[in-house]
Amino acid sequence: KIALLVGNNRYQHHPNLMAPVTDVFELSRLLEQLDFQVVSLLDLNKAEMVTAVSRFLQLLGKGVYAIFYYAGHGYEHLGRNYMVPIDAPQPYAPENCISVQRILQKMQQQQTALNLILLDTCRKWYNPECALSQVQPLEPWGNTVYGYATSEDAEAYELQDGEFSSGIFMKYLKKHILQEKKVTHMLEDVLEDIGRDPLVTGKQVMEIKHTLKEARSLTDPI
């Protein structure tokens, strides 16, 4: 069980965020309770993100449960999701950002038992003139789960409570993540809780996509 958590707060050319530093810390604590080996990294530029991901991929192999979590600025372009490193210039462009789908494709190549991608980022459609990054279709191995903090062309919100800040997504994810149930069912509980939160009604609703053919739970002993 291996997890890479990345939180980008302090941007050079974009507004700073508050929640990712707290959210990465909270999630790492919970995943360690589930016996995940966790690497948590904050405020990475593009070169650092590329290096972190390549090292993470080297740790994956057959039968591994792999989690990749990202909190920070991001956007969606023609169905592809991009994470924004702290040194990305204005405006966003794929060549300055990191393709989530490309990471997932490489995770699959390691023949993992579970790939869980948690994207705590906005998914506003952006920059339709830009070329897409090259991505091959995923192999139909039935091992992949996406948990998006928000739906297509929508924003993901932060909560500020005094000095404490948290993303709406993490507020409810940490409530359910230790449950002994199929990971997709656990995420459905998170989705329903976010849907009942009056602060984000009509503004943020979680989205889940998956091809998980077996009842894999984050609590499974490995």
PDB file of all heavy atoms in Angstrom, residues 176-205:
ATOM      1  N   HIS A 176     -14.873   9.383   6.276  1.00  0.00           N
ATOM      2  CA  HIS A 176     -15.275   8.067   5.768  1.00  0.00           C
ATOM      3  C   HIS A 176     -14.117   7.151   5.372  1.00  0.00           C
ATOM      4  O   HIS A 176     -14.334   5.946   5.193  1.00  0.00           O
ATOM      5  CB  HIS A 176     -16.180   8.237   4.542  1.00  0.00           C
ATOM      6  CG  HIS A 176     -17.499   8.884   4.842  1.00  0.00           C
ATOM      7  ND1 HIS A 176     -18.506   8.228   5.522  1.00  0.00           N
ATOM      8  CD2 HIS A 176     -17.980  10.131   4.563  1.00  0.00           C
ATOM      9  CE1 HIS A 176     -19.550   9.038   5.651  1.00  0.00           C
ATOM     10  NE2 HIS A 176     -19.249  10.198   5.079  1.00  0.00           N
ATOM     11  N   ILE A 177     -12.915   7.668   5.235  1.00  0.00           N
ATOM     12  CA  ILE A 177     -11.846   6.906   4.567  1.00  0.00           C
ATOM     13  C   ILE A 177     -11.418   5.649   5.328  1.00  0.00           C
ATOM     14  O   ILE A 177     -10.899   4.711   4.735  1.00  0.00           O
ATOM     15  CB  ILE A 177     -10.632   7.816   4.267  1.00  0.00           C
ATOM     16  CG1 ILE A 177      -9.745   7.166   3.195  1.00  0.00           C
ATOM     17  CG2 ILE A 177      -9.850   8.156   5.525  1.00  0.00           C
ATOM     18  CD1 ILE A 177      -8.751   8.103   2.566  1.00  0.00           C
ATOM     19  N   LEU A 178     -11.657   5.579   6.625  1.00  0.00           N
ATOM     20  CA  LEU A 178     -11.251   4.406   7.405  1.00  0.00           C
ATOM     21  C   LEU A 178     -12.285   3.274   7.375  1.00  0.00           C
ATOM     22  O   LEU A 178     -12.090   2.229   7.991  1.00  0.00           O
ATOM     23  CB  LEU A 178     -10.970   4.800   8.863  1.00  0.00           C
ATOM     24  CG  LEU A 178      -9.862   5.845   9.079  1.00  0.00           C
ATOM     25  CD1 LEU A 178      -9.725   6.180  10.557  1.00  0.00           C
ATOM     26  CD2 LEU A 178      -8.525   5.374   8.517  1.00  0.00           C
ATOM     27  N   GLN A 179     -13.389   3.479   6.637  1.00  0.00           N
ATOM     28  CA  GLN A 179     -14.456   2.476   6.598  1.00  0.00           C
ATOM     29  C   GLN A 179     -14.004   1.179   5.907  1.00  0.00           C
ATOM     30  O   GLN A 179     -13.291   1.223   4.905  1.00  0.00           O
ATOM     31  CB  GLN A 179     -15.667   3.009   5.806  1.00  0.00           C
ATOM     32  CG  GLN A 179     -16.407   4.136   6.487  1.00  0.00           C
ATOM     33  CD  GLN A 179     -17.535   4.660   5.605  1.00  0.00           C
ATOM     34  OE1 GLN A 179     -17.773   4.147   4.514  1.00  0.00           O
ATOM     35  NE2 GLN A 179     -18.212   5.685   6.084  1.00  0.00           N
ATOM     36  N   GLU A 180     -14.492   0.065   6.448  1.00  0.00           N
ATOM     37  CA  GLU A 180     -14.224  -1.233   5.816  1.00  0.00           C
ATOM     38  C   GLU A 180     -15.287  -1.511   4.757  1.00  0.00           C
ATOM     39  O   GLU A 180     -16.225  -2.270   4.977  1.00  0.00           O
ATOM     40  CB  GLU A 180     -14.242  -2.352   6.866  1.00  0.00           C
ATOM     41  CG  GLU A 180     -13.007  -2.380   7.729  1.00  0.00           C
ATOM     42  CD  GLU A 180     -12.929  -3.647   8.556  1.00  0.00           C
ATOM     43  OE1 GLU A 180     -13.190  -4.742   8.010  1.00  0.00           O
ATOM     44  OE2 GLU A 180     -12.617  -3.529   9.747  1.00  0.00           O
ATOM     45  N   LYS A 181     -15.172  -0.860   3.626  1.00  0.00           N
ATOM     46  CA  LYS A 181     -16.098  -1.123   2.517  1.00  0.00           C
ATOM     47  C   LYS A 181     -15.381  -0.829   1.207  1.00  0.00           C
ATOM     48  O   LYS A 181     -14.338  -0.166   1.207  1.00  0.00           O
ATOM     49  CB  LYS A 181     -17.390  -0.310   2.648  1.00  0.00           C
ATOM     50  CG  LYS A 181     -17.226   1.181   2.794  1.00  0.00           C
ATOM     51  CD  LYS A 181     -18.564   1.915   2.661  1.00  0.00           C
ATOM     52  CE  LYS A 181     -19.504   1.665   3.823  1.00  0.00           C
ATOM     53  NZ  LYS A 181     -20.736   2.486   3.727  1.00  0.00           N
ATOM     54  N   LYS A 182     -15.926  -1.349   0.121  1.00  0.00           N
ATOM     55  CA  LYS A 182     -15.322  -1.131  -1.188  1.00  0.00           C
ATOM     56  C   LYS A 182     -15.040   0.356  -1.372  1.00  0.00           C
ATOM     57  O   LYS A 182     -15.872   1.203  -1.021  1.00  0.00           O
ATOM     58  CB  LYS A 182     -16.266  -1.646  -2.286  1.00  0.00           C
ATOM     59  CG  LYS A 182     -15.673  -1.617  -3.689  1.00  0.00           C
ATOM     60  CD  LYS A 182     -16.619  -2.242  -4.706  1.00  0.00           C
ATOM     61  CE  LYS A 182     -16.052  -2.123  -6.118  1.00  0.00           C
ATOM     62  NZ  LYS A 182     -16.952  -2.704  -7.126  1.00  0.00           N
ATOM     63  N   VAL A 183     -13.882   0.670  -1.916  1.00  0.00           N
ATOM     64  CA  VAL A 183     -13.444   2.066  -1.987  1.00  0.00           C
ATOM     65  C   VAL A 183     -14.458   2.939  -2.734  1.00  0.00           C
ATOM     66  O   VAL A 183     -14.692   4.095  -2.363  1.00  0.00           O
ATOM     67  CB  VAL A 183     -12.018   2.165  -2.598  1.00  0.00           C
ATOM     68  CG1 VAL A 183     -11.966   1.651  -4.018  1.00  0.00           C
ATOM     69  CG2 VAL A 183     -11.499   3.582  -2.516  1.00  0.00           C
ATOM     70  N   THR A 184     -15.111   2.382  -3.752  1.00  0.00           N
ATOM     71  CA  THR A 184     -16.112   3.168  -4.494  1.00  0.00           C
ATOM     72  C   THR A 184     -17.333   3.474  -3.620  1.00  0.00           C
ATOM     73  O   THR A 184     -17.925   4.543  -3.725  1.00  0.00           O
ATOM     74  CB  THR A 184     -16.550   2.417  -5.757  1.00  0.00           C
ATOM     75  OG1 THR A 184     -16.887   1.070  -5.401  1.00  0.00           O
ATOM     76  CG2 THR A 184     -15.450   2.403  -6.798  1.00  0.00           C
ATOM     77  N   HIS A 185     -17.695   2.544  -2.749  1.00  0.00           N
ATOM     78  CA  HIS A 185     -18.830   2.783  -1.847  1.00  0.00           C
ATOM     79  C   HIS A 185     -18.465   3.817  -0.787  1.00  0.00           C
ATOM     80  O   HIS A 185     -19.290   4.654  -0.411  1.00  0.00           O
ATOM     81  CB  HIS A 185     -19.268   1.476  -1.188  1.00  0.00           C
ATOM     82  CG  HIS A 185     -19.752   0.453  -2.163  1.00  0.00           C
ATOM     83  ND1 HIS A 185     -19.889  -0.885  -1.847  1.00  0.00           N
ATOM     84  CD2 HIS A 185     -20.119   0.571  -3.471  1.00  0.00           C
ATOM     85  CE1 HIS A 185     -20.324  -1.543  -2.916  1.00  0.00           C
ATOM     86  NE2 HIS A 185     -20.456  -0.687  -3.915  1.00  0.00           N
ATOM     87  N   MET A 186     -17.220   3.777  -0.310  1.00  0.00           N
ATOM     88  CA  MET A 186     -16.745   4.782   0.632  1.00  0.00           C
ATOM     89  C   MET A 186     -16.814   6.174  -0.005  1.00  0.00           C
ATOM     90  O   MET A 186     -17.278   7.147   0.616  1.00  0.00           O
ATOM     91  CB  MET A 186     -15.311   4.436   1.058  1.00  0.00           C
ATOM     92  CG  MET A 186     -14.666   5.410   2.034  1.00  0.00           C
ATOM     93  SD  MET A 186     -13.857   6.830   1.234  1.00  0.00           S
ATOM     94  CE  MET A 186     -12.444   6.061   0.444  1.00  0.00           C
ATOM     95  N   LEU A 187     -16.385   6.275  -1.264  1.00  0.00           N
ATOM     96  CA  LEU A 187     -16.425   7.572  -1.949  1.00  0.00           C
ATOM     97  C   LEU A 187     -17.859   8.040  -2.194  1.00  0.00           C
ATOM     98  O   LEU A 187     -18.135   9.244  -2.182  1.00  0.00           O
ATOM     99  CB  LEU A 187     -15.649   7.501  -3.268  1.00  0.00           C
ATOM    100  CG  LEU A 187     -14.117   7.393  -3.135  1.00  0.00           C
ATOM    101  CD1 LEU A 187     -13.488   7.161  -4.493  1.00  0.00           C
ATOM    102  CD2 LEU A 187     -13.520   8.640  -2.480  1.00  0.00           C
ATOM    103  N   GLU A 188     -18.770   7.091  -2.414  1.00  0.00           N
ATOM    104  CA  GLU A 188     -20.185   7.481  -2.569  1.00  0.00           C
ATOM    105  C   GLU A 188     -20.722   8.125  -1.289  1.00  0.00           C
ATOM    106  O   GLU A 188     -21.522   9.068  -1.348  1.00  0.00           O
ATOM    107  CB  GLU A 188     -21.028   6.264  -2.954  1.00  0.00           C
ATOM    108  CG  GLU A 188     -20.856   5.864  -4.414  1.00  0.00           C
ATOM    109  CD  GLU A 188     -21.454   4.499  -4.727  1.00  0.00           C
ATOM    110  OE1 GLU A 188     -22.108   3.907  -3.837  1.00  0.00           O
ATOM    111  OE2 GLU A 188     -21.266   4.036  -5.863  1.00  0.00           O
ATOM    112  N   ASP A 189     -20.275   7.629  -0.132  1.00  0.00           N
ATOM    113  CA  ASP A 189     -20.674   8.253   1.133  1.00  0.00           C
ATOM    114  C   ASP A 189     -20.161   9.696   1.217  1.00  0.00           C
ATOM    115  O   ASP A 189     -20.854  10.592   1.709  1.00  0.00           O
ATOM    116  CB  ASP A 189     -20.136   7.442   2.324  1.00  0.00           C
ATOM    117  CG  ASP A 189     -20.809   6.084   2.451  1.00  0.00           C
ATOM    118  OD1 ASP A 189     -21.892   5.892   1.850  1.00  0.00           O
ATOM    119  OD2 ASP A 189     -20.253   5.220   3.157  1.00  0.00           O
ATOM    120  N   VAL A 190     -18.933   9.909   0.733  1.00  0.00           N
ATOM    121  CA  VAL A 190     -18.358  11.264   0.712  1.00  0.00           C
ATOM    122  C   VAL A 190     -19.183  12.159  -0.210  1.00  0.00           C
ATOM    123  O   VAL A 190     -19.542  13.290   0.141  1.00  0.00           O
ATOM    124  CB  VAL A 190     -16.883  11.226   0.245  1.00  0.00           C
ATOM    125  CG1 VAL A 190     -16.299  12.636   0.201  1.00  0.00           C
ATOM    126  CG2 VAL A 190     -16.039  10.332   1.156  1.00  0.00           C
ATOM    127  N   LEU A 191     -19.508  11.633  -1.393  1.00  0.00           N
ATOM    128  CA  LEU A 191     -20.302  12.384  -2.372  1.00  0.00           C
ATOM    129  C   LEU A 191     -21.643  12.826  -1.762  1.00  0.00           C
ATOM    130  O   LEU A 191     -22.051  13.983  -1.902  1.00  0.00           O
ATOM    131  CB  LEU A 191     -20.526  11.514  -3.611  1.00  0.00           C
ATOM    132  CG  LEU A 191     -21.174  12.145  -4.843  1.00  0.00           C
ATOM    133  CD1 LEU A 191     -20.799  11.345  -6.086  1.00  0.00           C
ATOM    134  CD2 LEU A 191     -22.686  12.237  -4.753  1.00  0.00           C
ATOM    135  N   GLU A 192     -22.296  11.887  -1.072  1.00  0.00           N
ATOM    136  CA  GLU A 192     -23.610  12.209  -0.499  1.00  0.00           C
ATOM    137  C   GLU A 192     -23.499  13.273   0.602  1.00  0.00           C
ATOM    138  O   GLU A 192     -24.348  14.166   0.695  1.00  0.00           O
ATOM    139  CB  GLU A 192     -24.259  10.934   0.036  1.00  0.00           C
ATOM    140  CG  GLU A 192     -24.705   9.998  -1.087  1.00  0.00           C
ATOM    141  CD  GLU A 192     -25.115   8.617  -0.590  1.00  0.00           C
ATOM    142  OE1 GLU A 192     -25.314   8.458   0.638  1.00  0.00           O
ATOM    143  OE2 GLU A 192     -25.234   7.706  -1.431  1.00  0.00           O
ATOM    144  N   ASP A 193     -22.438  13.191   1.407  1.00  0.00           N
ATOM    145  CA  ASP A 193     -22.245  14.199   2.456  1.00  0.00           C
ATOM    146  C   ASP A 193     -21.990  15.586   1.872  1.00  0.00           C
ATOM    147  O   ASP A 193     -22.539  16.582   2.342  1.00  0.00           O
ATOM    148  CB  ASP A 193     -21.074  13.799   3.361  1.00  0.00           C
ATOM    149  CG  ASP A 193     -21.518  12.936   4.533  1.00  0.00           C
ATOM    150  OD1 ASP A 193     -22.724  12.601   4.591  1.00  0.00           O
ATOM    151  OD2 ASP A 193     -20.668  12.610   5.386  1.00  0.00           O
ATOM    152  N   ILE A 194     -21.137  15.644   0.842  1.00  0.00           N
ATOM    153  CA  ILE A 194     -20.882  16.937   0.193  1.00  0.00           C
ATOM    154  C   ILE A 194     -22.176  17.478  -0.401  1.00  0.00           C
ATOM    155  O   ILE A 194     -22.472  18.675  -0.315  1.00  0.00           O
ATOM    156  CB  ILE A 194     -19.795  16.809  -0.903  1.00  0.00           C
ATOM    157  CG1 ILE A 194     -18.437  16.471  -0.273  1.00  0.00           C
ATOM    158  CG2 ILE A 194     -19.682  18.105  -1.725  1.00  0.00           C
ATOM    159  CD1 ILE A 194     -17.329  16.175  -1.268  1.00  0.00           C
ATOM    160  N   GLY A 195     -22.982  16.576  -0.973  1.00  0.00           N
ATOM    161  CA  GLY A 195     -24.259  16.983  -1.570  1.00  0.00           C
ATOM    162  C   GLY A 195     -25.232  17.574  -0.572  1.00  0.00           C
ATOM    163  O   GLY A 195     -26.115  18.352  -0.942  1.00  0.00           O
ATOM    164  N   ARG A 196     -25.068  17.210   0.702  1.00  0.00           N
ATOM    165  CA  ARG A 196     -25.966  17.744   1.740  1.00  0.00           C
ATOM    166  C   ARG A 196     -25.422  19.013   2.392  1.00  0.00           C
ATOM    167  O   ARG A 196     -26.094  19.612   3.227  1.00  0.00           O
ATOM    168  CB  ARG A 196     -26.180  16.681   2.829  1.00  0.00           C
ATOM    169  CG  ARG A 196     -27.093  15.539   2.412  1.00  0.00           C
ATOM    170  CD  ARG A 196     -27.452  14.654   3.590  1.00  0.00           C
ATOM    171  NE  ARG A 196     -26.343  13.785   3.964  1.00  0.00           N
ATOM    172  CZ  ARG A 196     -26.212  12.529   3.541  1.00  0.00           C
ATOM    173  NH1 ARG A 196     -27.120  11.986   2.753  1.00  0.00           N
ATOM    174  NH2 ARG A 196     -25.182  11.790   3.932  1.00  0.00           N
ATOM    175  N   ASP A 197     -24.203  19.410   2.039  1.00  0.00           N
ATOM    176  CA  ASP A 197     -23.596  20.583   2.683  1.00  0.00           C
ATOM    177  C   ASP A 197     -24.174  21.867   2.080  1.00  0.00           C
ATOM    178  O   ASP A 197     -23.955  22.146   0.898  1.00  0.00           O
ATOM    179  CB  ASP A 197     -22.075  20.557   2.497  1.00  0.00           C
ATOM    180  CG  ASP A 197     -21.363  21.585   3.356  1.00  0.00           C
ATOM    181  OD1 ASP A 197     -21.864  22.737   3.452  1.00  0.00           O
ATOM    182  OD2 ASP A 197     -20.310  21.272   3.931  1.00  0.00           O
ATOM    183  N   PRO A 198     -24.894  22.670   2.886  1.00  0.00           N
ATOM    184  CA  PRO A 198     -25.547  23.855   2.328  1.00  0.00           C
ATOM    185  C   PRO A 198     -24.558  24.899   1.806  1.00  0.00           C
ATOM    186  O   PRO A 198     -24.912  25.716   0.957  1.00  0.00           O
ATOM    187  CB  PRO A 198     -26.358  24.416   3.509  1.00  0.00           C
ATOM    188  CG  PRO A 198     -25.722  23.843   4.736  1.00  0.00           C
ATOM    189  CD  PRO A 198     -25.162  22.509   4.328  1.00  0.00           C
ATOM    190  N   LEU A 199     -23.304  24.853   2.277  1.00  0.00           N
ATOM    191  CA  LEU A 199     -22.319  25.846   1.829  1.00  0.00           C
ATOM    192  C   LEU A 199     -21.988  25.717   0.343  1.00  0.00           C
ATOM    193  O   LEU A 199     -21.609  26.697  -0.294  1.00  0.00           O
ATOM    194  CB  LEU A 199     -21.019  25.702   2.636  1.00  0.00           C
ATOM    195  CG  LEU A 199     -21.038  26.200   4.071  1.00  0.00           C
ATOM    196  CD1 LEU A 199     -19.730  25.848   4.777  1.00  0.00           C
ATOM    197  CD2 LEU A 199     -21.270  27.709   4.125  1.00  0.00           C
ATOM    198  N   VAL A 200     -22.103  24.503  -0.196  1.00  0.00           N
ATOM    199  CA  VAL A 200     -21.702  24.302  -1.598  1.00  0.00           C
ATOM    200  C   VAL A 200     -22.840  23.785  -2.472  1.00  0.00           C
ATOM    201  O   VAL A 200     -22.611  23.348  -3.600  1.00  0.00           O
ATOM    202  CB  VAL A 200     -20.478  23.360  -1.707  1.00  0.00           C
ATOM    203  CG1 VAL A 200     -19.230  24.042  -1.176  1.00  0.00           C
ATOM    204  CG2 VAL A 200     -20.718  22.034  -1.007  1.00  0.00           C
ATOM    205  N   THR A 201     -24.076  23.845  -1.977  1.00  0.00           N
ATOM    206  CA  THR A 201     -25.221  23.399  -2.789  1.00  0.00           C
ATOM    207  C   THR A 201     -25.278  24.198  -4.086  1.00  0.00           C
ATOM    208  O   THR A 201     -25.242  25.428  -4.071  1.00  0.00           O
ATOM    209  CB  THR A 201     -26.532  23.580  -2.001  1.00  0.00           C
ATOM    210  OG1 THR A 201     -26.453  22.794  -0.803  1.00  0.00           O
ATOM    211  CG2 THR A 201     -27.721  23.120  -2.827  1.00  0.00           C
ATOM    212  N   GLY A 202     -25.330  23.492  -5.197  1.00  0.00           N
ATOM    213  CA  GLY A 202     -25.394  24.158  -6.498  1.00  0.00           C
ATOM    214  C   GLY A 202     -24.058  24.684  -6.994  1.00  0.00           C
ATOM    215  O   GLY A 202     -23.979  25.266  -8.075  1.00  0.00           O
ATOM    216  N   LYS A 203     -22.975  24.473  -6.204  1.00  0.00           N
ATOM    217  CA  LYS A 203     -21.659  24.978  -6.611  1.00  0.00           C
ATOM    218  C   LYS A 203     -20.606  23.881  -6.735  1.00  0.00           C
ATOM    219  O   LYS A 203     -19.742  23.943  -7.600  1.00  0.00           O
ATOM    220  CB  LYS A 203     -21.168  26.030  -5.607  1.00  0.00           C
ATOM    221  CG  LYS A 203     -22.004  27.298  -5.588  1.00  0.00           C
ATOM    222  CD  LYS A 203     -21.377  28.374  -4.721  1.00  0.00           C
ATOM    223  CE  LYS A 203     -21.581  28.095  -3.246  1.00  0.00           C
ATOM    224  NZ  LYS A 203     -21.191  29.258  -2.393  1.00  0.00           N
ATOM    225  N   GLN A 204     -20.667  22.892  -5.842  1.00  0.00           N
ATOM    226  CA  GLN A 204     -19.676  21.810  -5.876  1.00  0.00           C
ATOM    227  C   GLN A 204     -20.354  20.488  -5.567  1.00  0.00           C
ATOM    228  O   GLN A 204     -21.010  20.341  -4.545  1.00  0.00           O
ATOM    229  CB  GLN A 204     -18.563  22.057  -4.842  1.00  0.00           C
ATOM    230  CG  GLN A 204     -17.511  20.941  -4.802  1.00  0.00           C
ATOM    231  CD  GLN A 204     -16.347  21.240  -3.861  1.00  0.00           C
ATOM    232  OE1 GLN A 204     -16.182  22.371  -3.407  1.00  0.00           O
ATOM    233  NE2 GLN A 204     -15.547  20.233  -3.566  1.00  0.00           N
ATOM    234  N   VAL A 205     -20.193  19.539  -6.478  1.00  0.00           N
ATOM    235  CA  VAL A 205     -20.658  18.171  -6.222  1.00  0.00           C
ATOM    236  C   VAL A 205     -19.552  17.222  -6.690  1.00  0.00           C
ATOM    237  O   VAL A 205     -18.952  17.418  -7.744  1.00  0.00           O
ATOM    238  CB  VAL A 205     -22.008  17.878  -6.913  1.00  0.00           C
ATOM    239  CG1 VAL A 205     -21.905  17.957  -8.424  1.00  0.00           C
ATOM    240  CG2 VAL A 205     -22.534  16.511  -6.503  1.00  0.00           C
TER     241      VAL A 205
END
